[in-house]
């Protein structure tokens, strides 16, 4: 381990740590330690780090802002990569914004509003990064990231080379994309349109108020399950009688039954128990098999 840390530190100018608790990097505030945690600052650093990890046979996981992830209590046996530096920058080319993958969506949406650019209002309250949002095709209020994507620069996990993919190449659909696991979204370009600041701000306020009323404030990972066709996972879980159900420090939110919240000392096991209960209850009552929206990582 000492040797690989030295080698990684020689090619990565950002953080290189061992035994990093993932609870520090996830919105659930849950998760044991990753063997390695590193923050490459440039594409070159990222490629060098991935080359080293591959040579040593060390698995890796690309973490965005950790807002759609449940990391196991035992942590992750491998390297967790969080992008920083160049990947936190964005710039405009006319009405197109080119963003690094690590930029938080709410920051991008806020900046677009200041510049009187419309198109990102729906993303105001989605707490993920641009890269994570593209991987998941995140969306809200009837819009998703794929609707405004022009193209994305993605590091191919096999050849470790950067390619530009048009939106239509990425097979974006409801909370999923065709981006191969292990490939890294590095940059993305979004098409915006000129708008009036007051109109953009009004929409943003509307969306924020909507969330304030309908979503819990405690730590969570957003919606746990995808909505089945023509229905809402939250409605089904509530109708199955599970709203407010607790397991250890985790609870099915009383405000929105598709959210599981960390009441202070929840473990991943607590959350997984509630996930199983909700799945079983909905299956038993409605014959519907709920599919996870969140990603589960590690032991
Ligand atoms: C309070 C709350 C509200 C939410 N509301 C919404 C909502 O309205 N709509 C919605 O769609 N989601 C919502 N989410 C979920 C979440 O914000 C989105 O799924 C978001 O897109 C995840 O981004 P992230 O950066 O946090 O990704 P992570 O959770 O870190 O990772 C998610 C997946 O993306 C992959 N990934 C991350 N970055 C990259 C990259 N650069 N390249 C390749 N793969 C990458 C990871 O490997 C992982 O598989 C909410 C979450 C919370 C906590």
């Amino acid at each position: 381990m000492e040797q690989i840390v030295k080698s990684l530190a020689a090619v990565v100018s950002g953080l290189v740590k061992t035994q990093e608790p993932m609870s520090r990097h996830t919105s659930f505030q849950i998760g044991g330690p990753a063997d390695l945690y590193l923050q490459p600052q440039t594409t070159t650093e990222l490629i060098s780090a991935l080359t080293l990890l591959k040579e040593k046979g060390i698995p890796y996981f690309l973490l965005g802002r950790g807002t759609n992830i449940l990391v196991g209590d035992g942590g992750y046996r491998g390297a967790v990569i969080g992008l920083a530096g160049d990947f936190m920058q964005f710039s405009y080319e006319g009405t197109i914004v080119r963003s690094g993958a690590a930029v938080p969506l709410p920051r991008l949406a806020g900046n677009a509003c200041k510049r009187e650019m419309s198109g990102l209002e729906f993303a105001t309250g989605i707490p993920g990064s641009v890269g994570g949002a593209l991987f998941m095709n995140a969306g809200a209020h009837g819009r998703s990231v794929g609707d405004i994507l022009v193209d994305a620069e993605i590091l191919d996990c096999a050849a470790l080379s950067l390619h530009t993919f048009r939106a239509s190449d990425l097979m974006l659909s409801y909370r999923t994309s065709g981006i191969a696991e292990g490939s890294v979204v590095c940059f993305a370009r979004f098409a915006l349109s000129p708008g009036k600041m007051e109109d953009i701000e009004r929409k943003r306020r509307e969306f924020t108020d909507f969330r304030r009323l309908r979503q819990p404030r405690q730590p969570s990972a957003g919606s746990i399950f995808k909505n089945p066709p023509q229905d809402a996972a939250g409605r089904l879980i509530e109708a199955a009688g599970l709203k407010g159900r607790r397991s250890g420090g985790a609870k099915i939110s009383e405000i929105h039954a598709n959210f599981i919240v960390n009441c202070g000392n929840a473990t991943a096991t607590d959350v997984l128990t509630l996930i199983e209960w909700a799945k079983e209850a909905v299956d038993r009552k409605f014959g519907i098999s709920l599919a996870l929206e969140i990603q589960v990582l590690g032991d």
Side-chain angles (χ1 to χ4, degrees):
M1 184 59 71
E2 218 175 280
Q3 191 49 51
I4 182 74
V5 171
K6 263 193 189 162
S7 308
L8 284 168
V11 295
V12 170
S13 61
L15 289 177
V16 178
K17 291 171 125 184
T18 57
Q19 295 303 307
E20 175 71 359
M22 287 297 100
S23 52
R24 289 191 191 150
H25 299 275
T26 60
S27 55
F28 248 142
Q29 298 174 15
I30 291 174
D35 288 344
L36 288 162
Y37 176 76
L38 50 141
Q39 285 189 331
Q41 313 273 312
T42 64
T43 310
T44 310
E45 289 187 12
L46 175 65
I47 293 174
S48 305
L50 289 178
T51 306
L52 269 171
L53 292 171
K54 284 189 153 204
E55 270 170 22
K56 301 282 176 205
I58 298 174
Y60 64 88
F61 181 81
L62 223 296
L63 187 70
R65 295 185 64 77
T67 63
N68 204 46
I69 291 276
L70 176 66
V71 183
D73 301 316
Y76 179 65
R77 302 289 72 80
V80 169
I81 301 177
L83 303 175
D86 287 358
F87 304 105
M88 292 291 288
Q89 309 295 322
F90 57 88
S91 60
Y92 291 83
E93 304 149 3
T95 55
I96 289 182
V97 60
R98 178 181 183 269
S99 172
V103 174
L105 273 187
R107 186 182 303 163
L108 200 63
N111 188 276
C113 174
K114 273 191 206 142
R115 286 181 169 249
E116 302 205 291
M117 293 286 180
S118 175
L120 271 164
E121 295 88 326
F122 76 90
T124 299
I126 304 178
S129 65
V130 163
L134 200 50
F135 188 84
M136 300 297 305
N137 193 21
H141 316 289
R143 305 272 289 156
S144 62
V145 162
D147 296 333
I148 53 167
L149 181 72
V150 177
D151 53 28
E153 291 163 63
I154 298 180
L155 189 72
D156 171 63
C157 56
L160 293 183
S161 53
L162 204 59
H163 298 279
T164 301
F165 293 86
R166 283 168 309 178
S168 55
D169 298 330
L170 295 177
M171 293 181 290
L172 298 161
S173 60
Y174 175 58
R175 303 299 169 263
T176 186
S177 70
I179 299 169
E181 222 164 278
S183 290
V184 185
V185 177
C186 292
F187 302 95
R189 295 196 310 151
F190 300 109
L192 307 178
S193 53
K196 275 198 194 144
M197 177 143 4
E198 65 203 62
D199 294 342
I200 300 171
E201 269 178 348
R202 185 172 9 87
K203 258 198 198 170
R204 278 162 52 78
R205 249 196 321 273
E206 244 171 58
F207 293 156
T208 307
D209 291 346
F210 179 91
R211 275 176 198 273
R212 204 172 288 138
L213 291 173
R214 289 174 183 78
Q215 293 184 358
R217 306 238 173 121
Q218 291 131 302
S220 77
S223 295
I224 293 287
F225 299 102
K226 294 183 186 186
N227 286 326
Q230 325 298 342
D231 214 328
R235 188 197 75 77
L236 294 166
I237 297 166
E238 183 174 352
L242 284 178
K243 218 175 191 183
R245 184 68 64 87
R246 284 189 79 125
S247 167
K251 183 170 74 169
I252 295 183
S253 168
E254 274 132 357
I255 298 171
H256 190 321
N258 198 19
F259 277 56
I260 292 178
V261 293
N262 178 355
C263 300
N265 53 355
T267 62
T269 310
D270 296 336
V271 175
L272 289 169
T273 303
L274 289 177
I275 287 174
E276 275 317 302
W277 288 348
K279 268 180 83 87
E280 271 170 31
V282 168
D283 195 8
R284 207 178 317 118
K285 190 161 169 109
F286 301 103
I288 292 174
S289 170
L290 290 176
L292 273 185
E293 179 169 321
I294 62 162
Q295 319 260 306
V296 180
L297 175 71
D299 301 336

